[in-house]
mmCIF file of all heavy atoms in Angstrom:
data_model
loop_
_atom_site.group_PDB
_atom_site.id
_atom_site.type_symbol
_atom_site.label_atom_id
_atom_site.label_comp_id
_atom_site.label_asym_id
_atom_site.label_seq_id
_atom_site.Cartn_x
_atom_site.Cartn_y
_atom_site.Cartn_z
ATOM 1 N N GLU A 178 -5.403 -28.334 1.449
ATOM 2 C CA GLU A 178 -6.245 -27.663 2.385
ATOM 3 C C GLU A 178 -6.461 -26.293 1.875
ATOM 4 O O GLU A 178 -7.584 -25.807 1.897
ATOM 5 C CB GLU A 178 -5.438 -27.655 3.778
ATOM 6 C CG GLU A 178 -6.079 -26.754 4.759
ATOM 7 C CD GLU A 178 -5.228 -26.609 6.129
ATOM 8 O OE1 GLU A 178 -4.863 -27.600 6.555
ATOM 9 O OE2 GLU A 178 -4.913 -25.435 6.383
ATOM 10 N N THR A 179 -5.495 -25.733 1.188
ATOM 11 C CA THR A 179 -5.602 -24.366 0.662
ATOM 12 C C THR A 179 -6.548 -24.398 -0.438
ATOM 13 O O THR A 179 -7.417 -23.488 -0.587
ATOM 14 C CB THR A 179 -4.233 -23.829 0.137
ATOM 15 O OG1 THR A 179 -3.226 -23.835 1.215
ATOM 16 C CG2 THR A 179 -4.257 -22.442 -0.324
ATOM 17 N N ARG A 180 -6.404 -25.334 -1.419
ATOM 18 C CA ARG A 180 -7.292 -25.475 -2.547
ATOM 19 C C ARG A 180 -8.696 -25.519 -2.033
ATOM 20 O O ARG A 180 -9.658 -24.904 -2.492
ATOM 21 C CB ARG A 180 -6.845 -26.701 -3.381
ATOM 22 C CG ARG A 180 -7.646 -26.822 -4.614
ATOM 23 C CD ARG A 180 -7.103 -27.955 -5.332
ATOM 24 N NE ARG A 180 -7.733 -28.124 -6.634
ATOM 25 C CZ ARG A 180 -8.991 -28.678 -6.890
ATOM 26 N NH1 ARG A 180 -9.547 -29.006 -5.743
ATOM 27 N NH2 ARG A 180 -9.562 -28.572 -7.998
ATOM 28 N N ASN A 181 -9.013 -26.555 -1.083
ATOM 29 C CA ASN A 181 -10.244 -26.764 -0.702
ATOM 30 C C ASN A 181 -10.977 -25.508 -0.012
ATOM 31 O O ASN A 181 -12.060 -25.183 -0.237
ATOM 32 C CB ASN A 181 -10.381 -28.008 0.185
ATOM 33 C CG ASN A 181 -10.106 -29.279 -0.385
ATOM 34 O OD1 ASN A 181 -10.296 -29.368 -1.654
ATOM 35 N ND2 ASN A 181 -9.797 -30.272 0.288
ATOM 36 N N TYR A 182 -10.066 -24.912 0.674
ATOM 37 C CA TYR A 182 -10.566 -23.601 1.505
ATOM 38 C C TYR A 182 -10.997 -22.599 0.452
ATOM 39 O O TYR A 182 -12.159 -21.986 0.558
ATOM 40 C CB TYR A 182 -9.556 -23.058 2.478
ATOM 41 C CG TYR A 182 -9.943 -21.849 3.161
ATOM 42 C CD1 TYR A 182 -10.475 -21.987 4.365
ATOM 43 C CD2 TYR A 182 -9.733 -20.600 2.709
ATOM 44 C CE1 TYR A 182 -10.993 -20.889 5.146
ATOM 45 C CE2 TYR A 182 -10.188 -19.458 3.294
ATOM 46 C CZ TYR A 182 -10.788 -19.535 4.565
ATOM 47 O OH TYR A 182 -11.327 -18.402 5.214
ATOM 48 N N ILE A 183 -10.234 -22.295 -0.617
ATOM 49 C CA ILE A 183 -10.674 -21.379 -1.579
ATOM 50 C C ILE A 183 -11.992 -21.794 -2.375
ATOM 51 O O ILE A 183 -12.840 -20.957 -2.409
ATOM 52 C CB ILE A 183 -9.490 -21.178 -2.639
ATOM 53 C CG1 ILE A 183 -8.322 -20.494 -1.935
ATOM 54 C CG2 ILE A 183 -9.964 -20.190 -3.824
ATOM 55 C CD1 ILE A 183 -7.046 -20.466 -2.689
ATOM 56 N N LEU A 184 -11.923 -23.074 -2.688
ATOM 57 C CA LEU A 184 -13.112 -23.511 -3.392
ATOM 58 C C LEU A 184 -14.447 -23.433 -2.555
ATOM 59 O O LEU A 184 -15.489 -22.839 -3.014
ATOM 60 C CB LEU A 184 -13.071 -24.929 -3.974
ATOM 61 C CG LEU A 184 -12.009 -25.036 -4.974
ATOM 62 C CD1 LEU A 184 -11.804 -26.565 -5.282
ATOM 63 C CD2 LEU A 184 -12.520 -24.325 -6.220
ATOM 64 N N ILE A 185 -14.301 -23.789 -1.307
ATOM 65 C CA ILE A 185 -15.434 -23.683 -0.412
ATOM 66 C C ILE A 185 -15.906 -22.294 -0.193
ATOM 67 O O ILE A 185 -17.012 -21.870 -0.323
ATOM 68 C CB ILE A 185 -15.121 -24.445 0.957
ATOM 69 C CG1 ILE A 185 -15.067 -25.951 0.731
ATOM 70 C CG2 ILE A 185 -16.219 -24.033 2.130
ATOM 71 C CD1 ILE A 185 -14.438 -26.646 1.978
ATOM 72 N N ASN A 186 -14.931 -21.315 0.165
ATOM 73 C CA ASN A 186 -15.304 -20.016 0.403
ATOM 74 C C ASN A 186 -15.776 -19.127 -0.880
ATOM 75 O O ASN A 186 -16.375 -18.133 -0.637
ATOM 76 C CB ASN A 186 -14.127 -19.327 1.052
ATOM 77 C CG ASN A 186 -14.163 -19.813 2.530
ATOM 78 O OD1 ASN A 186 -14.949 -19.376 3.343
ATOM 79 N ND2 ASN A 186 -13.268 -20.820 2.868
ATOM 80 N N ARG A 187 -15.360 -19.629 -2.088
ATOM 81 C CA ARG A 187 -15.881 -18.982 -3.247
ATOM 82 C C ARG A 187 -17.316 -19.251 -3.446
ATOM 83 O O ARG A 187 -18.064 -18.497 -4.104
ATOM 84 C CB ARG A 187 -15.095 -19.537 -4.457
ATOM 85 C CG ARG A 187 -13.609 -18.977 -4.631
ATOM 86 C CD ARG A 187 -13.711 -17.972 -5.752
ATOM 87 N NE ARG A 187 -12.695 -17.081 -5.755
ATOM 88 C CZ ARG A 187 -11.854 -16.848 -6.795
ATOM 89 N NH1 ARG A 187 -11.942 -17.505 -7.918
ATOM 90 N NH2 ARG A 187 -10.987 -15.875 -6.762
ATOM 91 N N LYS A 188 -17.767 -20.529 -2.972
ATOM 92 C CA LYS A 188 -19.217 -20.712 -3.183
ATOM 93 C C LYS A 188 -20.114 -20.182 -2.201
ATOM 94 O O LYS A 188 -21.342 -20.124 -2.329
ATOM 95 C CB LYS A 188 -19.355 -22.372 -3.040
ATOM 96 C CG LYS A 188 -18.543 -23.143 -4.207
ATOM 97 C CD LYS A 188 -19.108 -24.568 -4.352
ATOM 98 C CE LYS A 188 -18.219 -25.281 -5.358
ATOM 99 N NZ LYS A 188 -18.695 -25.143 -6.686
ATOM 100 N N LYS A 189 -19.505 -19.544 -1.087
ATOM 101 C CA LYS A 189 -20.405 -18.942 -0.017
ATOM 102 C C LYS A 189 -20.858 -17.542 -0.445
ATOM 103 O O LYS A 189 -20.365 -16.873 -1.206
ATOM 104 C CB LYS A 189 -19.525 -18.749 1.182
ATOM 105 C CG LYS A 189 -19.344 -20.000 1.986
ATOM 106 C CD LYS A 189 -18.600 -19.887 3.271
ATOM 107 C CE LYS A 189 -18.406 -21.166 4.014
ATOM 108 N NZ LYS A 189 -17.561 -21.114 5.093
#
Side-chain angles (χ1 to χ4, degrees):
E178 176 186 303
T179 306
R180 181 181 190 277
N181 290 343
Y182 181 88
I183 293 170
L184 289 172
I185 289 168
N186 284 282
R187 282 253 161 130
K188 294 195 187 277
K189 288 183 179 178

